[in-house]
Amino acid sequence: MKILAIETTCDETAAAIIGDDLTIFSSVVASQEALHEQYNGVVPEIAARAHVQRILPVIQETVQKSELSLTDDIDAIAVANTPGLAGSLLVGVTAAKALALSLNKPLVAINHLHAHVYACRLDAGRDVFPCIGMIVSGGHTHLYHYSDALNPQYLGGTIDDAAGEAFDKVASMLGLPYPGGPAISKIAVDGNAEAHKYPRSFLKEDRLDFSFSGLKTAVRYSITGPGNIPIDSVKLNDQQKSDIAASFQQAVVDCLVAKAMQAVSKHSINRICVGGGVAANRVFRQQLQEACEAQGIELFIAPLKYCTDNAVMGAIAFEKLKAGLVEDLSVDILPGLVRA
Ligand code: KG4
Ligand code: ZN
């Protein structure tokens, strides 16, 4: 069995053809980074329009690369319909409905967050559920208890900014390009992670939540000093920037690692699966690995190329197909987060 999966929740237009043994026949991701870079973040209207331009070429390229036939070889169409930007989601969902209708194939709706966690399954070679699942992306920082791939229970998450969003905002303060995560981790290599004592919200508290907005503000004042000094008027040298980047990155990683470990001990589960763009962060991967090894916890982190948005993680659709969970053409987008 093979599916064509489509992903347009935010600013990547992506499609992939995957087999039910998780063979990847093709995967195409058209990034919009260049379009949003000048705004230091994703502009929803621009994202939606770019998806409209790219969706058909991306699907065509995906089919061509797979050397398969849409009509004869594909058994179902899968699409992420939640959560995400409304205009972006609409493009993918409309394309998927049109394909399902014209090809007379079943339509499967995917939750983008749970697909990020399912990315851990791709290289694992075996089932990774039940587990504590952590999604660390540009839009979300959440912890779930998954009894299986389709049954997550929400444990906690950010009460303000997502971890990736904080990386993007701090990068912008340091004059680094969007997306900020890769740019910050690059210059952090030359920095001292103890140069600045940034806050770590809720670290010692018995709650599985995150807050990164205070950290963002602390970074801002460590650049400008007290008062209302415009950030653009402050010129930092490369070492100062690296020290801020390294100290900020360490503060985020400390919170993520601590809450992941709290979640496993609180829910007596011996396994963590982590997905989402921030899971590509080298320091985070290494320190979470060390923490898990120290406590005998099994850790699966999404393969690097499937941390940021892609359609291969749409393979979670096979779990839905197995459970008989298909949609009719009335399926809608759900831009907001549905926690269950
Ligand atoms: O999962 P993703 O592609 O999109 C959402 O679903 O939000 O995540 C994008 C986010 C961006 O905020 C980006 O700065 C962050 O992931 N990111 C990173 C790294 N690579 C991407 N953050 C920290 N370190 C990285 N290496
Ligand atoms: Zn994502």
Side-chain angles (χ1 to χ4, degrees):
M1 195 180 217
K2 298 178 192 72
I3 58 165
L4 169 73
I6 296 172
E7 152 65 41
T8 62
T9 57
C10 189
D11 63 338
E12 323 282 357
T13 317
I17 293 180
I18 317 132
D20 56 359
D21 60 354
L22 302 183
T23 302
I24 299 159
F25 291 92
S26 58
S27 167
V28 176
V29 180
S31 167
Q32 300 180 10
E33 272 170 27
L35 294 178
H36 301 286
E37 191 175 354
Q38 59 181 306
Y39 306 104
N40 291 319
V42 178
V43 182
E45 170 89 17
I46 293 174
R49 286 171 188 268
H51 283 305
V52 171
Q53 286 170 344
R54 289 152 200 230
I55 188 76
L56 292 181
V58 163
I59 292 172
Q60 256 159 2
E61 191 184 336
T62 305
V63 175
Q64 259 163 21
K65 280 191 171 161
S66 73
E67 297 181 6
L68 295 167
S69 148
L70 253 191
T71 334
D72 302 333
D73 301 319
I74 303 301
D75 300 287
I77 310 294
V79 64
N81 74 327
T82 186
L85 301 170
S88 295
L89 288 165
L90 270 176
V91 179
V93 169
T94 307
K97 282 185 186 182
L99 283 170
L101 176 68
S102 58
L103 298 167
N104 196 24
K105 314 263 182 198
L107 180 63
V108 185
I110 297 166
N111 179 307
H112 176 75
L113 296 190
H114 307 321
H116 266 306
V117 171
Y118 201 78
C120 295
R121 174 73 183 81
L122 295 168
D123 273 4
R126 64 190 164 92
D127 202 1
V128 296
F129 300 94
C131 67
I132 293 296
M134 184 179 218
I135 299 113
V136 276
S137 70
H140 301 92
T141 305
H142 291 317
L143 283 160
Y144 288 88
H145 173 200
Y146 290 83
S147 44
D148 59 53
L150 300 182
N151 283 297
Q153 181 205 345
Y154 181 78
L155 302 179
T158 180
I159 59 161
D160 40 55
D161 295 348
E165 196 178 343
F167 269 95
D168 295 337
K169 299 268 166 61
V170 168
S172 160
M173 292 181 209
L174 295 175
L176 300 171
Y178 172 84
I184 287 203
S185 60
K186 194 166 166 213
I187 67 162
V189 172
D190 302 315
N192 172 7
E194 288 172 15
H196 299 272
K197 300 265 169 284
Y198 291 137
R200 281 122 168 102
S201 296
F202 311 139
L203 199 66
K204 302 259 180 308
E205 286 177 43
D206 181 35
R207 58 187 279 192
L208 296 174
D209 291 321
F210 305 88
S211 164
F212 296 112
S213 89
L215 169 60
K216 222 173 52 184
T217 308
V219 171
R220 194 200 139 84
Y221 284 113
S222 71
I223 295 173
T224 62
N228 250 345
I229 298 157
I231 198 151
D232 295 346
S233 67
V234 182
K235 295 278 167 273
L236 300 174
N237 65 35
D238 287 350
Q239 190 58 51
Q240 288 171 319
K241 286 185 185 180
S242 289
D243 287 346
I244 291 170
S247 304
F248 160 77
Q249 176 175 259
Q250 191 57 54
V252 175
V253 169
D254 283 350
C255 295
L256 298 178
V257 171
K259 292 297 161 187
M261 301 316 287
Q262 270 182 26
V264 284
S265 75
K266 231 175 155 173
H267 292 269
S268 311
I269 281 220
N270 220 16
R271 190 185 286 151
I272 305 179
C273 291
V274 189
V278 181
N281 185 278
R282 199 182 48 80
V283 172
F284 173 52
R285 292 174 87 92
Q286 196 183 322
Q287 294 188 9
L288 184 59
Q289 183 74 50
E290 284 164 10
C292 286
E293 271 166 22
Q295 296 200 29
I297 307 292
E298 196 178 17
L299 174 67
F300 293 95
I301 308 188
L304 270 183
K305 60 184 171 198
Y306 302 130
C307 284
T308 46
D309 288 349
N310 65 87
V312 174
M313 64 195 194
I316 193 174
F318 286 116
E319 304 285 341
K320 288 200 133 183
L321 282 166
K322 264 188 260 165
L325 296 170
V326 293
E327 309 293 331
D328 62 31
L329 293 176
S330 68
V331 66
D332 207 351
I333 59 161
L334 291 166
L337 177 66
V338 178
R339 288 205 160 138

